Amino acid sequence: MRTRLLWLFVGVLSFLPLAYFQSGLTMNRSLASMFAADDPTLIAYQDLQSTFGGNLVVMLVYDDDDLMTTQGLVRNRQWTEHVEQMPGVEGVLSVAKLVDAFKYLRPEFSFSLMTSSDENPVALFRDEDPIANQFRELFSGYTHSRDETTAAIVVMLKPATDGASDHVSRTVGRLRRFAQGLPEQYQAMLVGEPVLLDDAFDLIIADGRRLAIGTIGLLCLVILITLRDLRIVVLAAVCIVWSTVATRSVMVASGVELSLVSAILLALVAVIVVSAIMHLAVRCHLPGVSLVRTISTLAIPITCTCLTDMAGFASLMVSEVRPVVEFGFMTATAAGCVLLSLVLFSPMVLSLPERFLRIRPSRTRAEYSQSPRLSRLARGSVRHRMALGIASIIALVGTGAYVMRLETNSSFLDNFRENSSIVQAYSRVEERLGGAGVWDVTLPAPTAITPAYFESVRELEERLRQIEVDVAAPSPKSNATPPVTRVRLSKVLSLADADAVASQVTMLSFVTPDVRLAGMRAAIPTFAEALLTFPDTAANDSSTPTAPRRLRIMLRSDESLPGPAKTALMSEVRRTVQSWPGGAELTRAELDNGGNDKVVTGYSVLMSRLVASLIRDQWKALAVALLAVGLLIWLVTGRLSLTIAALIVNALPILAVLSLMGIFGGQLDLGSAMIGAVSIGLSIDGSIHFLSGYQRRLLIDSSTSEAAVDSAADLGAPILLASAALVIGFAVLVSSPFVPTATFGLLVAATLALSAITNLTLLPALVVWMDSEKPAEPAAG
């Protein structure tokens, strides 16, 4: 009793400083935090950021049938000026800004008292002016729709500085509140990749709170219904709280922040705790079995299950995506903290008086002894062990080959449900303005911009506009020919296009492009400097005076494109840009300083890269998880044959579930990117307890067949109860409005349910088939 009190005292005493220390845990919402510092895609994006300043683009879109009138212009100018003055906004492009810029092309010299009105519109709105028409057409899809009834205030955000990772989120929040405060008849909405990411974080945080409550509540309900023992509920609650606080403290000490995939920490800790204590709880309910004997019998299996949980989760740290690495570190730490919490609290809590905490009298031993049904099922499996063994290997190879061929979906917009406000907003924007996905091409530019250089840029733009990628859409019928979707860019724009319009003005046709560009910069400075580095800014951004100027081409594509379509389009854009022969105007010194780099980057490219990297890394993480878990089982059992059997039994459900997902039309996405490593870490628990019981029975002179059958029948109840608790816990995630969370919960729950069945049927058959230590003998009776 003294030792139990000592452990309890240590646990309670350590909770207070841990609770204080964990309060310093923060969440990093920046996109850069999701990549390794040396990731080439991130480096290209950061170069774009440092070269052109604010490159995070958000669009405030609203409907206005009177947009191209004096009244519409007054509204647009008022809202533009309000947005432009918001903290965190680098610059704004809107119809009002275009009107100011067009005055540079068409100065309004008026010798009358007449002012602009619907009868005498501003210069940009005059349909009889061909240059005005070209200028409006040039920016259609950016600042206004083609039918000129929908407006977009294009907002360029300032990048985060001084480590303020939530800087962009705060700016998006201000813009969102402003859009919501506009009159309802204008149906204002906010879209853009920063909005998508901000909404994803908000949903994840909400999921973390809601799912933690639901998961813990359901798990405690399962314990009460199945075991009817408040001691186990108390133990689960204490271990969940202590482990979560300890994990968060370790994260603070290690400099790890919460990220896109780590807000469900409490829910995951809950399922790890319940998985670990279910075996302990069932064993404690056996009459005549003391607490000391229970702990001594299960100490090694429970330790091994926590270690395999740690190994499975830690395998995610091989990923190149930082949130996944931090998620792996976080969950592996949580598994270790769960083990420590069980050591600290289980001896004292389980020794509390049963008569006060038991909801109904103890069950008889028969209720917890070997199940006749499970015994018959295991015996039948052992009898057909060779057929089952060969079939399992064939199924493993077949499902593995099929899963490797599954298509991936790297569209970030698909992470939201179709009926969500953000998806509906994107649908409206893309219907009226064209694509809402913004990305960029950056090109070298000579110190003095020449007409030949701009002509070369416009030729490249025309080639980009002509790109068409045919992508086969999923067919609802397997025997039908898949329909083909033709994908192209919805908009291509640079200062070369604006200069082409300006050069048609008689007074400006005789000057150089640099003179015309200087005028545009004076009229719309933020927009001009976001598309071209000017000599004074170029000198400031580089340590070498000969650093080349850079020109930026802004691209737009449908954000709702399927992942394969977007990937194919980006690949074709890269190929076209790399084949561009421009740059001849650059001097040798400029070329030597890296001036010939042609880069395709931007927020949309980075987001697609993030999803694709997550999916790609899942196979590496699964391989590492299998290797690490297999090594642990080998060290504990000392038998390679038992290790191979356990790995087959636990890998097959994962591949089977992913195969079923593919058969029913699913694709690999964010939700399925981590289930392999996570499922291996959790489902292996049942295998470890089975193998532990199997080897104990071999020591008392049982045959391999008897030992396998008795172990499966004896451990059936705790394995099924633990699996039921895990399945219910993860099934709570299915209700999440964030699709990856729902997919993750569904797939893991299905995998764990299937793993429980294979652990009680297929594993005994494979163990007897592969284990030759003792010949299989017919069971007595």
Side-chain angles (χ1 to χ4, degrees):
M1 178 60 71
R2 185 177 300 174
T3 303
R4 298 173 192 175
L5 287 173
L6 177 61
W7 285 120
L8 179 64
F9 177 75
V10 171
V12 172
L13 190 64
S14 64
F15 179 79
L16 297 178
L18 289 174
Y20 174 78
F21 194 59
Q22 62 93 34
S23 61
L25 186 63
T26 58
M27 172 171 281
N28 192 336
R29 289 178 175 240
S30 68
L31 189 60
S33 68
M34 301 186 184
F35 294 85
D38 58 350
D39 189 286
T41 308
L42 176 63
I43 292 174
Y45 175 76
Q46 290 174 329
D47 287 344
L48 172 72
Q49 192 175 59
S50 62
T51 302
F52 295 102
N55 57 73
L56 307 181
V57 178
V58 173
M59 293 190 294
L60 174 60
V61 182
Y62 66 93
D63 295 336
D64 190 351
D65 293 337
D66 299 324
L67 176 62
M68 296 301 180
T69 66
T70 303
Q71 293 84 355
L73 176 61
V74 170
R75 274 190 298 272
N76 188 271
R77 188 176 298 280
Q78 289 176 345
W79 295 346
T80 296
E81 291 174 353
H82 185 89
V83 168
E84 195 170 21
Q85 293 171 3
M86 285 185 180
V89 173
E90 181 79 17
V92 174
L93 180 66
S94 65
V95 171
K97 292 290 185 180
L98 295 185
V99 169
D100 296 338
F102 194 70
K103 290 179 181 178
Y104 164 71
L105 304 181
R106 282 280 193 263
E108 295 184 355
F109 300 107
S110 177
F111 297 97
S112 69
L113 297 178
M114 295 180 62
T115 59
S116 297
S117 65
D118 292 342
E119 293 76 21
N120 181 37
V122 296
L124 181 61
F125 298 165
R126 293 169 184 161
D127 292 333
E128 67 276 8
D129 187 341
I131 295 181
N133 291 333
Q134 290 182 47
F135 200 75
R136 294 202 309 272
E137 176 63 24
L138 181 65
F139 289 93
S140 67
Y142 272 98
T143 60
H144 58 279
S145 60
R146 283 188 179 276
D147 62 5
E148 299 180 346
T149 61
T150 300
I153 300 177
V154 182
V155 185
M156 286 169 278
L157 309 181
K158 292 180 180 178
T161 56
D162 301 327
S165 61
D166 59 345
H167 163 81
V168 174
S169 176
R170 291 199 302 269
T171 306
V172 170
R174 296 186 191 100
L175 291 168
R176 195 193 304 275
R177 289 189 293 273
F178 175 72
Q180 292 170 348
L182 295 180
E184 187 175 350
Q185 66 265 29
Y186 297 110
Q187 300 184 51
M189 68 193 85
L190 198 68
V191 297
E193 278 83 2
V195 180
L196 277 179
L197 192 61
D198 193 64
D199 282 355
F201 271 106
D202 288 341
L203 288 175
I204 284 290
I205 293 172
D207 281 348
R209 300 191 188 102
R210 180 173 53 84
L211 297 175
I213 296 173
T215 302
I216 294 173
L218 281 175
L219 291 177
C220 290
L221 184 61
V222 169
I223 295 173
L224 284 176
I225 292 175
T226 56
L227 301 178
R228 300 180 179 90
D229 192 341
L230 289 177
R231 294 178 305 172
I232 308 303
V233 176
V234 171
L235 178 61
V238 169
C239 290
I240 289 170
V241 173
W242 192 92
S243 301
T244 302
V245 170
T247 301
R248 290 170 61 92
S249 297
V250 173
M251 293 173 67
V252 172
S254 304
V256 177
E257 297 177 297
L258 291 174
S259 62
L260 187 64
V261 294
S262 59
I264 57 175
L265 169 63
L266 187 55
L268 284 175
V269 169
V271 296
I272 296 173
V273 167
V274 173
S275 173
I277 68 174
M278 270 300 189
H279 293 273
L280 189 65
V282 171
R283 180 68 60 176
C284 283
H285 281 202
L286 292 176
V289 179
S290 66
L291 178 61
V292 174
R293 180 181 172 187
T294 297
I295 293 178
S296 62
T297 302
L298 296 180
I300 293 179
I302 288 179
T303 301
C304 289
T305 58
C306 289
L307 291 177
T308 52
D309 287 346
M310 292 179 64
F313 290 130
S315 66
L316 294 170
M317 297 176 66
V318 303
S319 173
E320 297 178 11
V321 180
R322 196 183 303 178
V324 177
V325 174
E326 293 175 346
F327 178 81
F329 173 81
M330 177 189 75
T331 48
T333 302
C337 291
V338 167
L339 178 60
L340 185 56
S341 69
L342 289 172
V343 173
L344 293 174
F345 298 109
S346 60
M348 190 64 208
V349 173
L350 292 179
S351 64
L352 293 174
E354 294 185 29
R355 61 182 182 274
F356 299 117
L357 297 175
R358 191 69 72 80
I359 293 179
R360 82 176 203 180
S362 301
R363 298 183 175 189
T364 63
R365 183 179 182 87
E367 291 182 83
Y368 286 109
S369 62
Q370 296 183 359
S371 168
R373 293 182 181 179
L374 290 177
S375 181
R376 287 195 299 270
L377 187 61
R379 197 177 301 279
S381 299
V382 170
R383 187 179 303 115
H384 301 92
R385 55 186 175 273
M386 181 173 292
L388 286 175
I390 295 174
S392 63
I393 293 175
I394 294 175
L396 189 69
V397 174
T399 54
Y402 179 79
V403 169
M404 293 296 290
R405 295 170 51 208
L406 286 179
E407 291 186 349
T408 60
N409 185 0
S410 58
S411 172
F412 198 80
L413 187 62
D414 286 346
N415 294 322
F416 302 87
R417 298 192 184 276
E418 292 184 1
N419 60 352
S420 66
S421 59
I422 188 68
V423 172
Q424 292 174 353
Y426 266 89
S427 178
R428 282 183 56 204
V429 168
E430 296 196 336
E431 177 184 350
R432 303 183 186 190
L433 286 174
V438 180
W439 36 309
D440 305 276
V441 171
T442 65
L443 304 172
T447 303
I449 303 295
T450 63
Y453 174 76
F454 265 174
E455 182 63 31
S456 176
V457 171
R458 286 191 289 270
E459 290 177 0
L460 172 60
E461 290 183 82
E462 188 59 32
R463 291 172 58 190
L464 292 173
R465 294 186 185 102
Q466 293 175 358
I467 290 176
E468 290 185 345
V469 177
D470 292 337
V471 178
S475 175
K477 297 180 180 180
S478 57
N479 58 348
T481 301
V484 174
T485 302
R486 183 157 291 179
V487 175
R488 60 190 307 167
L489 294 170
S490 59
K491 192 72 178 179
V492 179
L493 177 66
S494 76
L495 282 182
D497 303 303
D499 182 74
V501 176
S503 65
Q504 297 180 42
V505 179
T506 304
M507 290 189 301
L508 299 178
S509 62
F510 299 103
V511 300
T512 64
D514 274 327
V515 174
R516 294 192 288 267
L517 292 173
M520 292 182 200
R521 186 186 183 191
I524 41 177
T526 303
F527 179 72
E529 291 173 2
L531 294 183
L532 179 69
T533 55
F534 289 83
D536 52 343
T537 58
N540 292 334
D541 290 338
S542 176
S543 59
T544 57
T546 57
R549 300 172 69 179
R550 303 288 297 179
L551 176 76
R552 178 182 183 180
I553 302 176
M554 296 182 70
L555 309 179
R556 290 270 294 280
S557 63
D558 287 349
E559 187 62 37
S560 58
L561 285 177
K566 187 177 290 186
T567 300
L569 183 61
M570 288 181 178
S571 298
E572 189 62 23
V573 167
R574 285 192 182 93
R575 188 195 64 79
T576 302
V577 170
Q578 293 302 321
S579 64
W580 177 62
E585 295 81 2
L586 271 68
T587 65
R588 173 52 53 189
E590 291 170 337
L591 289 172
D592 290 343
N593 281 313
N596 206 29
D597 291 338
K598 293 166 266 189
V599 181
V600 179
T601 185
Y603 212 84
S604 189
V605 175
L606 211 59
M607 296 287 277
S608 294
R609 159 78 173 173
L610 171 66
V611 181
S613 298
L614 281 171
I615 297 170
R616 181 202 61 224
D617 290 344
Q618 72 171 333
W619 305 120
K620 185 165 55 174
L622 178 58
V624 173
L626 289 171
L627 182 63
V629 169
L631 182 61
L632 284 172
I633 296 176
W634 190 15
L635 290 174
V636 173
T637 63
R639 303 295 302 278
L640 182 60
S641 59
L642 300 183
T643 302
I644 294 174
L647 293 181
I648 291 176
V649 166
N650 288 275
L652 186 56
I654 297 171
L655 298 177
V657 168
L658 290 176
S659 297
L660 288 174
M661 180 190 72
I663 291 172
F664 286 102
Q667 294 178 315
L668 296 174
D669 57 12
L670 274 176
S672 59
M674 298 183 296
I675 73 157
V678 172
S679 298
I680 282 290
L682 293 174
S683 66
I684 202 71
D685 295 1
S687 299
I688 290 176
H689 284 279
F690 170 85
L691 294 177
S692 176
Y694 170 76
Q695 289 194 306
R696 282 200 308 269
R697 284 168 174 79
L698 286 180
L699 294 177
I700 58 175
D701 205 29
S702 296
S703 68
T704 52
S705 295
E706 290 176 338
V709 171
D710 291 345
S711 181
D714 187 47
L715 293 173
I719 288 178
L720 291 177
L721 287 176
S723 298
L726 288 174
V727 169
I728 291 174
F730 278 103
V732 175
L733 303 177
V734 176
S735 62
S736 170
F738 192 54
V739 174
T741 304
T743 303
F744 176 77
L746 177 63
L747 295 180
V748 173
T751 301
L752 294 177
L754 190 56
S755 296
I757 298 173
T758 56
N759 273 320
L760 296 176
T761 55
L762 182 59
L763 184 56
L766 291 181
V767 164
V768 175
W769 186 43
M770 294 182 177
D771 194 2
S772 58
E773 182 177 351
K774 281 190 176 182
E777 301 173 4

